[in-house]
Amino acid sequence: MSIAALSPAQAQTVPQSMAQIQLSYAPLVKQAAPGVVNIYAQRVVAERRNPFADDPFFGDLFRNFGQTTPRVQNSLGSGVIVGSDGLVVSNYHVVGQATEIRVVLSDRREFAAEVVLTDEQSDLAVLQLQGARDLPALSLADSDGAEVGDLVLAIGNPFGVGQTVSSGIISGLARSGIAVGSGRGYFLQTDAPINPGNSGGALVNMAGELVGVNTAIITRSGGSNGIGFAIPANLVAQVVSQARDGRERFQRPWAGVTAQAMDAALADAFDQTIPAGVVLLELHPDSPLAKAGLQRGDVILSVDGGEVNSAPEMMFRLAAKGIGGQSVLEARRGTDSREVTIDLIAPPESPERQTRRIDARSALAGLEVMRINPAVIAEFGLSPDADGILVTQAQDLAGRVGLRPGDVLLAINGEPVQSTADVARLSRAQTRAWVIELIREGRQLSLRFRL
């Protein structure tokens, strides 16, 4: 009798046949495991030798005291072969900034590898194995088809003990409040045990397809507590596609908006019986959503038929679709719902960035600035309504007087700055007293100093 022929009552009893007793993941593991690799990475980091490091009071007071010395830092992780020509996807936190990478296959073959594309925001990186060909690659599943309760296997190299397989289920979808690396992403949650070293490994479904790349766990002890997260395969597919196109950094479609998840209080204000969707708070004038007729206060309910209940979830669905296509958004304004089609475009480089480094003979020596445009807004995570001149570096004298990367310059000595040329010109003023108006972390400040 096959499993499919069992009634619900029979399915809850002891096995009825030898075939049922011998049910095993072994055939699936034999199919998928060769596509998962171990990654050994080295990076050189600057370590500051501080004689007060162990002192509970002076250790914090003099944390930047002492000379820096280079130190080799080793990291261990996993990766997934996604191309028979040696293309491997892993986590950024495993291979990012690495100076030497060694990849070991399940059959013990070893390859040197180089990073060809990175995306710190999603914690993904793509490697190319040197001299590799005819490798066993995993096919990618449609992660939008994953459901809570689906059986999955996590394959990786936890704690460096060698390739290990653990089983579980997908225990949650659309997890978007988890911080990984420098940003927050959108994840599948699984209870398949994931431990240090599993990062970058495969989460596979019962068809042997890659449904996600394991990336993080929630833990108090350092080991798995059954709450692990994987980057969905649909986003992985776009990252791999851009790597094949020769891009070095992953580029997302530009929405040009900020949005807030609908909660119970907002739902009541918007006369919704059930909290659903995200509310648009700000739109750049050139945003594809603005050009499609959407405006502040509109509620986005779905993207291409998939529900969205957080801003990261909306951006994930756009990023997984990729630049160059179109997406259909279901939006609500008041009691009226409608569908709008938006173009998925790269953030425009208009006006030009006008990147400029201020001359060393000027009062603001060491300052590097650029004109804010949609591409700069996307790259530096600025508000869609940001405008003006952005500080990207503040070294030497510019750093000592209090300027910081991320500052948006408004005026110097009472004269507005509208271009990087204005900053260069005004920084040569023959005066000892200086007043710089700027925006820092959303607050307008006046920086005053004398030279």
Side-chain angles (χ1 to χ4, degrees):
M1 179 185 295
S2 68
I3 296 177
L6 291 175
S7 68
Q10 289 176 310
Q12 296 176 17
T13 63
V14 297
Q16 301 295 307
S17 67
M18 184 60 68
Q20 294 175 33
I21 294 173
Q22 295 177 337
L23 287 176
S24 172
Y25 291 123
L28 176 60
V29 173
K30 289 179 181 178
Q31 173 187 339
V36 183
V37 301
N38 300 335
I39 296 178
Y40 303 88
Q42 289 185 347
R43 60 175 62 88
V44 177
V45 297
E47 186 176 64
R48 191 177 296 275
R49 300 182 63 182
N50 185 348
F52 302 103
D54 297 326
D55 189 283
F57 176 76
F58 291 104
D60 183 65
L61 189 63
F62 293 96
R63 61 181 178 273
N64 293 322
F65 179 81
Q67 295 182 339
T68 59
T69 56
R71 179 176 64 86
V72 176
Q73 184 181 73
N74 296 300
S75 65
L76 170 70
S78 305
V80 183
I81 302 173
V82 291
S84 60
D85 56 350
L87 211 60
V88 171
V89 66
S90 184
N91 287 148
Y92 178 88
H93 76 261
V94 172
V95 299
Q97 310 300 321
T99 54
E100 182 180 346
I101 303 172
R102 184 165 55 92
V103 175
V104 182
L105 274 60
S106 61
D107 60 8
R108 299 187 181 181
R109 284 184 291 169
E110 296 188 16
F111 294 91
E114 62 176 345
V115 177
V116 294
L117 181 146
T118 60
D119 184 48
E120 191 172 2
Q121 182 177 337
S122 65
D123 196 32
L124 285 174
V126 180
L127 311 174
Q128 177 65 58
L129 306 191
Q130 298 174 5
R133 61 179 182 178
D134 300 326
L135 299 187
L138 288 184
S139 58
L140 274 61
D142 178 5
S143 55
D144 282 346
E147 296 184 8
V148 174
D150 285 351
L151 291 171
V152 288
L153 299 181
I155 308 176
N157 182 18
F159 299 110
V161 299
Q163 192 174 84
T164 301
V165 180
S166 56
S167 67
I169 63 171
I170 291 178
S171 50
L173 303 173
R175 300 302 196 220
S176 57
I178 310 302
V180 176
S182 64
R184 294 179 180 269
Y186 171 93
F187 305 102
L188 302 175
Q189 181 180 325
T190 179
D191 68 349
I194 295 173
N195 287 289
N198 270 111
S199 292
L203 190 70
V204 301
N205 60 20
M206 292 298 101
E209 300 169 323
L210 182 73
V211 72
V213 171
N214 299 322
T215 188
I217 59 174
I218 289 180
T219 178
R220 294 179 178 176
S221 64
S224 174
N225 290 330
I227 303 179
F229 301 94
I231 303 162
N234 286 2
L235 181 58
V236 175
Q238 281 297 326
V239 171
V240 171
S241 175
Q242 291 194 20
R244 289 199 178 280
D245 289 341
R247 296 195 63 87
E248 296 182 356
R249 299 183 65 179
F250 180 61
Q251 189 173 53
R252 290 167 170 76
W254 180 62
V257 302
T258 56
Q260 178 181 339
M262 181 74 72
D263 57 20
L266 278 174
D268 185 59
F270 280 79
D271 200 25
Q272 288 189 11
T273 56
I274 299 176
V278 295
V279 184
L280 298 181
L281 302 179
E282 297 172 311
L283 292 87
H284 190 280
D286 295 328
S287 163
L289 280 71
K291 290 186 175 181
L294 297 178
Q295 61 188 34
R296 183 180 180 185
D298 287 348
V299 180
I300 306 300
L301 300 174
S302 69
V303 175
D304 294 322
E307 292 183 357
V308 292
N309 290 299
S310 69
E313 185 174 0
M314 180 178 73
M315 295 310 302
F316 162 78
R317 295 198 180 279
L318 296 178
K321 193 71 174 290
I323 292 173
Q326 292 183 320
S327 279
V328 178
L329 278 57
E330 182 186 0
R332 176 179 294 164
R333 180 180 300 167
T335 58
D336 298 328
S337 296
R338 60 174 176 146
E339 289 186 347
V340 297
T341 300
I342 65 168
D343 294 323
L344 301 179
I345 62 171
E349 284 279 8
S350 177
E352 293 184 3
R353 296 190 183 208
Q354 305 172 350
T355 302
R356 186 184 297 264
R357 188 169 182 85
I358 303 305
D359 190 278
R361 294 168 296 179
S362 302
L364 300 180
L367 184 67
E368 184 178 273
V369 292
M370 65 175 58
R371 178 76 170 87
I372 295 175
N373 63 24
V376 173
I377 289 173
E379 184 176 333
F380 291 90
L382 306 178
S383 170
D385 62 356
D387 191 24
I389 305 301
L390 177 70
V391 174
T392 54
Q393 288 187 29
Q395 301 173 345
D396 302 330
L397 185 57
R400 292 197 293 271
V401 300
L403 290 169
R404 301 179 190 173
D407 289 345
V408 177
L409 303 182
L410 302 177
I412 296 177
N413 290 335
E415 187 169 341
V417 292
Q418 299 178 339
S419 68
T420 59
D422 288 343
V423 179
R425 174 176 55 82
L426 294 171
S427 68
R428 293 192 293 267
Q430 300 299 312
T431 180
R432 294 183 59 85
W434 291 79
V435 180
I436 300 180
E437 304 289 337
L438 56 88
I439 295 176
R440 177 178 295 168
E441 298 177 351
R443 296 179 300 168
Q444 186 165 337
L445 305 174
S446 292
L447 187 63
R448 299 174 182 269
F449 58 91
R450 293 182 65 86
L451 295 178

